[in-house]
PDB file of all heavy atoms in Angstrom:
ATOM      1  N   ALA S 121       4.333 -47.583 -19.542  1.00 56.00           N
ATOM      2  CA  ALA S 121       4.368 -46.478 -18.581  1.00 56.00           C
ATOM      3  C   ALA S 121       5.758 -46.277 -18.009  1.00 56.00           C
ATOM      4  O   ALA S 121       6.152 -45.157 -17.671  1.00 56.00           O
ATOM      5  CB  ALA S 121       3.369 -46.727 -17.459  1.00 56.00           C
ATOM      6  N   ALA S 122       6.524 -47.369 -17.885  1.00 59.00           N
ATOM      7  CA  ALA S 122       7.886 -47.257 -17.360  1.00 59.00           C
ATOM      8  C   ALA S 122       8.737 -46.394 -18.272  1.00 59.00           C
ATOM      9  O   ALA S 122       9.517 -45.557 -17.815  1.00 59.00           O
ATOM     10  CB  ALA S 122       8.506 -48.648 -17.203  1.00 59.00           C
ATOM     11  N   LEU S 123       8.613 -46.591 -19.590  1.00 53.00           N
ATOM     12  CA  LEU S 123       9.380 -45.773 -20.531  1.00 53.00           C
ATOM     13  C   LEU S 123       8.971 -44.316 -20.422  1.00 53.00           C
ATOM     14  O   LEU S 123       9.816 -43.420 -20.346  1.00 53.00           O
ATOM     15  CB  LEU S 123       9.166 -46.272 -21.952  1.00 53.00           C
ATOM     16  CG  LEU S 123       9.782 -45.342 -23.004  1.00 53.00           C
ATOM     17  CD1 LEU S 123      11.283 -45.518 -23.064  1.00 53.00           C
ATOM     18  CD2 LEU S 123       9.163 -45.582 -24.367  1.00 53.00           C
ATOM     19  N   THR S 124       7.667 -44.094 -20.430  1.00 57.00           N
ATOM     20  CA  THR S 124       7.174 -42.721 -20.393  1.00 57.00           C
ATOM     21  C   THR S 124       7.675 -41.991 -19.164  1.00 57.00           C
ATOM     22  O   THR S 124       8.086 -40.833 -19.224  1.00 57.00           O
ATOM     23  CB  THR S 124       5.631 -42.714 -20.407  1.00 57.00           C
ATOM     24  OG1 THR S 124       5.173 -43.404 -21.570  1.00 57.00           O
ATOM     25  CG2 THR S 124       5.099 -41.302 -20.383  1.00 57.00           C
ATOM     26  N   THR S 125       7.680 -42.688 -18.037  1.00 66.00           N
ATOM     27  CA  THR S 125       8.051 -42.045 -16.773  1.00 66.00           C
ATOM     28  C   THR S 125       9.549 -41.913 -16.601  1.00 66.00           C
ATOM     29  O   THR S 125      10.035 -40.862 -16.190  1.00 66.00           O
ATOM     30  CB  THR S 125       7.470 -42.851 -15.594  1.00 66.00           C
ATOM     31  OG1 THR S 125       6.051 -42.942 -15.749  1.00 66.00           O
ATOM     32  CG2 THR S 125       7.805 -42.180 -14.269  1.00 66.00           C
ATOM     33  N   TYR S 126      10.299 -42.960 -16.954  1.00 67.00           N
ATOM     34  CA  TYR S 126      11.700 -43.019 -16.546  1.00 67.00           C
ATOM     35  C   TYR S 126      12.707 -42.817 -17.669  1.00 67.00           C
ATOM     36  O   TYR S 126      13.866 -42.532 -17.393  1.00 67.00           O
ATOM     37  CB  TYR S 126      11.983 -44.367 -15.865  1.00 67.00           C
ATOM     38  CG  TYR S 126      11.065 -44.633 -14.698  1.00 67.00           C
ATOM     39  CD1 TYR S 126      10.142 -45.658 -14.743  1.00 67.00           C
ATOM     40  CD2 TYR S 126      11.109 -43.827 -13.561  1.00 67.00           C
ATOM     41  CE1 TYR S 126       9.278 -45.890 -13.681  1.00 67.00           C
ATOM     42  CE2 TYR S 126      10.253 -44.044 -12.499  1.00 67.00           C
ATOM     43  CZ  TYR S 126       9.338 -45.076 -12.563  1.00 67.00           C
ATOM     44  OH  TYR S 126       8.487 -45.303 -11.514  1.00 67.00           O
ATOM     45  N   CYS S 127      12.288 -42.976 -18.932  1.00 60.00           N
ATOM     46  CA  CYS S 127      13.265 -42.901 -20.014  1.00 60.00           C
ATOM     47  C   CYS S 127      13.013 -41.751 -20.986  1.00 60.00           C
ATOM     48  O   CYS S 127      13.956 -41.089 -21.426  1.00 60.00           O
ATOM     49  CB  CYS S 127      13.284 -44.212 -20.791  1.00 60.00           C
ATOM     50  SG  CYS S 127      13.661 -45.649 -19.757  1.00 60.00           S
ATOM     51  N   ALA S 128      11.727 -41.537 -21.337  1.00 57.00           N
ATOM     52  CA  ALA S 128      11.420 -40.535 -22.350  1.00 57.00           C
ATOM     53  C   ALA S 128      11.930 -39.134 -22.017  1.00 57.00           C
ATOM     54  O   ALA S 128      12.377 -38.421 -22.917  1.00 57.00           O
ATOM     55  CB  ALA S 128       9.910 -40.498 -22.602  1.00 57.00           C
ATOM     56  N   PRO S 129      11.885 -38.676 -20.747  1.00 62.00           N
ATOM     57  CA  PRO S 129      12.359 -37.312 -20.483  1.00 62.00           C
ATOM     58  C   PRO S 129      13.784 -37.050 -20.943  1.00 62.00           C
ATOM     59  O   PRO S 129      14.117 -35.930 -21.335  1.00 62.00           O
ATOM     60  CB  PRO S 129      12.247 -37.206 -18.957  1.00 62.00           C
ATOM     61  CG  PRO S 129      11.143 -38.144 -18.595  1.00 62.00           C
ATOM     62  CD  PRO S 129      11.308 -39.292 -19.537  1.00 62.00           C
ATOM     63  N   CYS S 130      14.639 -38.062 -20.904  1.00 61.00           N
ATOM     64  CA  CYS S 130      16.047 -37.880 -21.310  1.00 61.00           C
ATOM     65  C   CYS S 130      16.337 -38.389 -22.707  1.00 61.00           C
ATOM     66  O   CYS S 130      17.310 -37.995 -23.327  1.00 61.00           O
ATOM     67  CB  CYS S 130      16.986 -38.596 -20.333  1.00 61.00           C
ATOM     68  SG  CYS S 130      16.998 -37.907 -18.676  1.00 61.00           S
ATOM     69  N   HIS S 131      15.479 -39.296 -23.222  1.00 51.00           N
ATOM     70  CA  HIS S 131      15.833 -39.995 -24.454  1.00 51.00           C
ATOM     71  C   HIS S 131      14.729 -39.922 -25.501  1.00 51.00           C
ATOM     72  O   HIS S 131      14.545 -40.859 -26.268  1.00 51.00           O
ATOM     73  CB  HIS S 131      16.138 -41.465 -24.143  1.00 51.00           C
ATOM     74  CG  HIS S 131      17.205 -41.642 -23.124  1.00 51.00           C
ATOM     75  ND1 HIS S 131      18.525 -41.397 -23.377  1.00 51.00           N
ATOM     76  CD2 HIS S 131      17.149 -42.026 -21.822  1.00 51.00           C
ATOM     77  CE1 HIS S 131      19.248 -41.629 -22.297  1.00 51.00           C
ATOM     78  NE2 HIS S 131      18.430 -42.007 -21.336  1.00 51.00           N
ATOM     79  N   SER S 132      14.000 -38.842 -25.566  1.00 51.00           N
ATOM     80  CA  SER S 132      12.957 -38.732 -26.574  1.00 51.00           C
ATOM     81  C   SER S 132      13.602 -38.791 -27.955  1.00 51.00           C
ATOM     82  O   SER S 132      14.639 -38.185 -28.215  1.00 51.00           O
ATOM     83  CB  SER S 132      12.196 -37.409 -26.402  1.00 51.00           C
ATOM     84  OG  SER S 132      13.089 -36.315 -26.486  1.00 51.00           O
ATOM     85  N   GLY S 133      12.973 -39.546 -28.836  1.00 48.00           N
ATOM     86  CA  GLY S 133      13.497 -39.689 -30.183  1.00 48.00           C
ATOM     87  C   GLY S 133      14.561 -40.740 -30.341  1.00 48.00           C
ATOM     88  O   GLY S 133      14.999 -41.005 -31.456  1.00 48.00           O
ATOM     89  N   SER S 134      14.988 -41.360 -29.256  1.00 45.00           N
ATOM     90  CA  SER S 134      16.084 -42.317 -29.368  1.00 45.00           C
ATOM     91  C   SER S 134      15.666 -43.590 -30.091  1.00 45.00           C
ATOM     92  O   SER S 134      16.496 -44.278 -30.673  1.00 45.00           O
ATOM     93  CB  SER S 134      16.635 -42.679 -27.987  1.00 45.00           C
ATOM     94  OG  SER S 134      15.640 -43.299 -27.201  1.00 45.00           O
ATOM     95  N   ARG S 135      14.357 -43.899 -30.092  1.00 42.00           N
ATOM     96  CA  ARG S 135      13.925 -45.124 -30.758  1.00 42.00           C
ATOM     97  C   ARG S 135      14.289 -45.083 -32.237  1.00 42.00           C
ATOM     98  O   ARG S 135      14.837 -46.027 -32.776  1.00 42.00           O
ATOM     99  CB  ARG S 135      12.413 -45.299 -30.594  1.00 42.00           C
ATOM    100  CG  ARG S 135      11.908 -46.584 -31.197  1.00 42.00           C
ATOM    101  CD  ARG S 135      10.415 -46.743 -31.251  1.00 42.00           C
ATOM    102  NE  ARG S 135       9.665 -45.839 -30.412  1.00 42.00           N
ATOM    103  CZ  ARG S 135       8.353 -45.935 -30.254  1.00 42.00           C
ATOM    104  NH1 ARG S 135       7.694 -46.899 -30.853  1.00 42.00           N
ATOM    105  NH2 ARG S 135       7.704 -45.085 -29.512  1.00 42.00           N
ATOM    106  N   ALA S 136      14.023 -43.954 -32.903  1.00 35.00           N
ATOM    107  CA  ALA S 136      14.318 -43.850 -34.321  1.00 35.00           C
ATOM    108  C   ALA S 136      15.812 -43.854 -34.589  1.00 35.00           C
ATOM    109  O   ALA S 136      16.294 -44.388 -35.587  1.00 35.00           O
ATOM    110  CB  ALA S 136      13.694 -42.572 -34.883  1.00 35.00           C
ATOM    111  N   GLU S 137      16.581 -43.250 -33.686  1.00 36.00           N
ATOM    112  CA  GLU S 137      18.021 -43.154 -33.896  1.00 36.00           C
ATOM    113  C   GLU S 137      18.703 -44.495 -33.742  1.00 36.00           C
ATOM    114  O   GLU S 137      19.648 -44.808 -34.449  1.00 36.00           O
ATOM    115  CB  GLU S 137      18.631 -42.168 -32.892  1.00 36.00           C
ATOM    116  CG  GLU S 137      18.207 -40.721 -33.125  1.00 36.00           C
ATOM    117  CD  GLU S 137      18.809 -39.814 -32.077  1.00 36.00           C
ATOM    118  OE1 GLU S 137      19.980 -40.023 -31.716  1.00 36.00           O
ATOM    119  OE2 GLU S 137      18.117 -38.900 -31.615  1.00 36.00           O
ATOM    120  N   VAL S 138      18.257 -45.302 -32.795  1.00 39.00           N
ATOM    121  CA  VAL S 138      18.953 -46.538 -32.499  1.00 39.00           C
ATOM    122  C   VAL S 138      18.352 -47.719 -33.258  1.00 39.00           C
ATOM    123  O   VAL S 138      19.056 -48.545 -33.808  1.00 39.00           O
ATOM    124  CB  VAL S 138      18.939 -46.817 -30.983  1.00 39.00           C
ATOM    125  CG1 VAL S 138      19.674 -48.105 -30.674  1.00 39.00           C
ATOM    126  CG2 VAL S 138      19.576 -45.645 -30.249  1.00 39.00           C
ATOM    127  N   GLY S 139      17.035 -47.807 -33.277  1.00 40.00           N
ATOM    128  CA  GLY S 139      16.381 -48.842 -34.057  1.00 40.00           C
ATOM    129  C   GLY S 139      16.613 -50.254 -33.565  1.00 40.00           C
ATOM    130  O   GLY S 139      16.744 -51.187 -34.358  1.00 40.00           O
ATOM    131  N   VAL S 140      16.670 -50.446 -32.260  1.00 42.00           N
ATOM    132  CA  VAL S 140      16.861 -51.780 -31.701  1.00 42.00           C
ATOM    133  C   VAL S 140      15.511 -52.327 -31.258  1.00 42.00           C
ATOM    134  O   VAL S 140      14.747 -51.640 -30.599  1.00 42.00           O
ATOM    135  CB  VAL S 140      17.827 -51.747 -30.507  1.00 42.00           C
ATOM    136  CG1 VAL S 140      17.961 -53.140 -29.898  1.00 42.00           C
ATOM    137  CG2 VAL S 140      19.182 -51.225 -30.949  1.00 42.00           C
ATOM    138  N   THR S 141      15.204 -53.566 -31.632  1.00 45.00           N
ATOM    139  CA  THR S 141      13.966 -54.202 -31.209  1.00 45.00           C
ATOM    140  C   THR S 141      14.286 -55.517 -30.522  1.00 45.00           C
ATOM    141  O   THR S 141      15.386 -56.047 -30.632  1.00 45.00           O
ATOM    142  CB  THR S 141      13.047 -54.488 -32.418  1.00 45.00           C
ATOM    143  OG1 THR S 141      13.665 -55.485 -33.221  1.00 45.00           O
ATOM    144  CG2 THR S 141      12.813 -53.227 -33.229  1.00 45.00           C
ATOM    145  N   LEU S 142      13.297 -56.052 -29.844  1.00 46.00           N
ATOM    146  CA  LEU S 142      13.490 -57.353 -29.202  1.00 46.00           C
ATOM    147  C   LEU S 142      13.815 -58.423 -30.232  1.00 46.00           C
ATOM    148  O   LEU S 142      14.567 -59.358 -29.952  1.00 46.00           O
ATOM    149  CB  LEU S 142      12.233 -57.740 -28.419  1.00 46.00           C
ATOM    150  CG  LEU S 142      12.006 -56.994 -27.107  1.00 46.00           C
ATOM    151  CD1 LEU S 142      10.719 -57.476 -26.458  1.00 46.00           C
ATOM    152  CD2 LEU S 142      13.172 -57.166 -26.162  1.00 46.00           C
ATOM    153  N   ASP S 143      13.262 -58.289 -31.445  1.00 50.00           N
ATOM    154  CA  ASP S 143      13.537 -59.276 -32.483  1.00 50.00           C
ATOM    155  C   ASP S 143      15.017 -59.315 -32.846  1.00 50.00           C
ATOM    156  O   ASP S 143      15.525 -60.324 -33.331  1.00 50.00           O
ATOM    157  CB  ASP S 143      12.719 -58.971 -33.740  1.00 50.00           C
ATOM    158  CG  ASP S 143      11.230 -59.184 -33.519  1.00 50.00           C
ATOM    159  OD1 ASP S 143      10.891 -59.948 -32.584  1.00 50.00           O
ATOM    160  OD2 ASP S 143      10.431 -58.604 -34.265  1.00 50.00           O
ATOM    161  N   ALA S 144      15.719 -58.201 -32.621  1.00 50.00           N
ATOM    162  CA  ALA S 144      17.140 -58.132 -32.982  1.00 50.00           C
ATOM    163  C   ALA S 144      18.055 -58.645 -31.880  1.00 50.00           C
ATOM    164  O   ALA S 144      19.262 -58.765 -32.085  1.00 50.00           O
ATOM    165  CB  ALA S 144      17.517 -56.695 -33.320  1.00 50.00           C
ATOM    166  N   LEU S 145      17.506 -58.974 -30.722  1.00 46.00           N
ATOM    167  CA  LEU S 145      18.363 -59.360 -29.602  1.00 46.00           C
ATOM    168  C   LEU S 145      19.120 -60.651 -29.861  1.00 46.00           C
ATOM    169  O   LEU S 145      20.217 -60.844 -29.335  1.00 46.00           O
ATOM    170  CB  LEU S 145      17.531 -59.507 -28.331  1.00 46.00           C
ATOM    171  CG  LEU S 145      17.120 -58.193 -27.664  1.00 46.00           C
ATOM    172  CD1 LEU S 145      16.252 -58.485 -26.461  1.00 46.00           C
ATOM    173  CD2 LEU S 145      18.335 -57.384 -27.254  1.00 46.00           C
ATOM    174  N   SER S 146      18.550 -61.554 -30.647  1.00 48.00           N
ATOM    175  CA  SER S 146      19.243 -62.810 -30.906  1.00 48.00           C
ATOM    176  C   SER S 146      20.561 -62.582 -31.630  1.00 48.00           C
ATOM    177  O   SER S 146      21.486 -63.383 -31.527  1.00 48.00           O
ATOM    178  CB  SER S 146      18.348 -63.747 -31.723  1.00 48.00           C
ATOM    179  OG  SER S 146      18.013 -63.141 -32.962  1.00 48.00           O
ATOM    180  N   SER S 147      20.660 -61.473 -32.373  1.00 58.00           N
ATOM    181  CA  SER S 147      21.906 -61.161 -33.070  1.00 58.00           C
ATOM    182  C   SER S 147      22.681 -60.057 -32.369  1.00 58.00           C
ATOM    183  O   SER S 147      23.723 -59.637 -32.853  1.00 58.00           O
ATOM    184  CB  SER S 147      21.612 -60.735 -34.514  1.00 58.00           C
ATOM    185  OG  SER S 147      20.784 -59.577 -34.521  1.00 58.00           O
ATOM    186  N   ASN S 148      22.183 -59.603 -31.229  1.00 80.00           N
ATOM    187  CA  ASN S 148      22.861 -58.524 -30.497  1.00 80.00           C
ATOM    188  C   ASN S 148      22.834 -58.845 -29.011  1.00 80.00           C
ATOM    189  O   ASN S 148      22.498 -57.993 -28.187  1.00 80.00           O
ATOM    190  CB  ASN S 148      22.160 -57.195 -30.767  1.00 80.00           C
ATOM    191  CG  ASN S 148      23.109 -56.017 -30.615  1.00 80.00           C
ATOM    192  OD1 ASN S 148      24.213 -56.162 -30.104  1.00 80.00           O
ATOM    193  ND2 ASN S 148      22.662 -54.854 -31.060  1.00 80.00           N
ATOM    194  N   ALA S 149      23.206 -60.083 -28.681  1.00 84.00           N
ATOM    195  CA  ALA S 149      23.141 -60.518 -27.287  1.00 84.00           C
ATOM    196  C   ALA S 149      24.081 -59.727 -26.398  1.00 84.00           C
ATOM    197  O   ALA S 149      23.770 -59.470 -25.234  1.00 84.00           O
ATOM    198  CB  ALA S 149      23.467 -62.010 -27.196  1.00 84.00           C
ATOM    199  N   ASP S 150      25.223 -59.318 -26.928  1.00 86.00           N
ATOM    200  CA  ASP S 150      26.173 -58.562 -26.121  1.00 86.00           C
ATOM    201  C   ASP S 150      25.542 -57.263 -25.630  1.00 86.00           C
ATOM    202  O   ASP S 150      25.654 -56.904 -24.452  1.00 86.00           O
ATOM    203  CB  ASP S 150      27.435 -58.270 -26.932  1.00 86.00           C
ATOM    204  CG  ASP S 150      28.448 -57.460 -26.144  1.00 86.00           C
ATOM    205  OD1 ASP S 150      28.917 -57.948 -25.103  1.00 86.00           O
ATOM    206  OD2 ASP S 150      28.766 -56.331 -26.560  1.00 86.00           O
ATOM    207  N   LEU S 151      24.859 -56.561 -26.529  1.00 83.00           N
ATOM    208  CA  LEU S 151      24.189 -55.323 -26.154  1.00 83.00           C
ATOM    209  C   LEU S 151      23.110 -55.586 -25.111  1.00 83.00           C
ATOM    210  O   LEU S 151      23.010 -54.889 -24.097  1.00 83.00           O
ATOM    211  CB  LEU S 151      23.574 -54.694 -27.400  1.00 83.00           C
ATOM    212  CG  LEU S 151      22.744 -53.421 -27.189  1.00 83.00           C
ATOM    213  CD1 LEU S 151      23.595 -52.315 -26.599  1.00 83.00           C
ATOM    214  CD2 LEU S 151      22.133 -52.979 -28.517  1.00 83.00           C
ATOM    215  N   GLY S 152      22.308 -56.626 -25.352  1.00 84.00           N
ATOM    216  CA  GLY S 152      21.241 -56.936 -24.410  1.00 84.00           C
ATOM    217  C   GLY S 152      21.757 -57.272 -23.031  1.00 84.00           C
ATOM    218  O   GLY S 152      21.200 -56.827 -22.022  1.00 84.00           O
ATOM    219  N   GLU S 153      22.850 -58.040 -22.956  1.00 89.00           N
ATOM    220  CA  GLU S 153      23.402 -58.412 -21.650  1.00 89.00           C
ATOM    221  C   GLU S 153      23.991 -57.194 -20.944  1.00 89.00           C
ATOM    222  O   GLU S 153      23.881 -57.074 -19.712  1.00 89.00           O
ATOM    223  CB  GLU S 153      24.452 -59.501 -21.803  1.00 89.00           C
ATOM    224  CG  GLU S 153      23.929 -60.836 -22.319  1.00 89.00           C
ATOM    225  CD  GLU S 153      22.979 -61.540 -21.356  1.00 89.00           C
ATOM    226  OE1 GLU S 153      22.854 -61.095 -20.196  1.00 89.00           O
ATOM    227  OE2 GLU S 153      22.364 -62.540 -21.767  1.00 89.00           O
ATOM    228  N   ARG S 154      24.621 -56.286 -21.681  1.00 86.00           N
ATOM    229  CA  ARG S 154      25.170 -55.086 -21.047  1.00 86.00           C
ATOM    230  C   ARG S 154      24.062 -54.208 -20.475  1.00 86.00           C
ATOM    231  O   ARG S 154      24.188 -53.653 -19.387  1.00 86.00           O
ATOM    232  CB  ARG S 154      26.024 -54.303 -22.043  1.00 86.00           C
ATOM    233  CG  ARG S 154      27.367 -54.962 -22.320  1.00 86.00           C
ATOM    234  CD  ARG S 154      28.288 -54.073 -23.126  1.00 86.00           C
ATOM    235  NE  ARG S 154      27.896 -53.998 -24.519  1.00 86.00           N
ATOM    236  CZ  ARG S 154      27.570 -52.883 -25.151  1.00 86.00           C
ATOM    237  NH1 ARG S 154      27.548 -51.733 -24.491  1.00 86.00           N
ATOM    238  NH2 ARG S 154      27.244 -52.887 -26.430  1.00 86.00           N
TER     239      ARG S 154
END
């Protein structure tokens, strides 16, 4: 619900464009920390 309310209005479709998942955080810690 947080995504639907606070993120989707500005970032619809961004999931497909970026393709970042929690499983990828171990190799993308810099992005996660930022």
Side-chain angles (χ1 to χ4, degrees):
L123 172 76
T124 303
T125 303
Y126 304 114
C127 302
C130 294
H131 304 288
S132 58
S134 62
R135 183 188 344 186
E137 292 178 40
V138 180
V140 177
T141 67
L142 286 179
D143 292 338
L145 283 177
S146 60
S147 60
N148 207 348
D150 179 61
L151 176 61
E153 295 294 350
R154 286 189 286 120

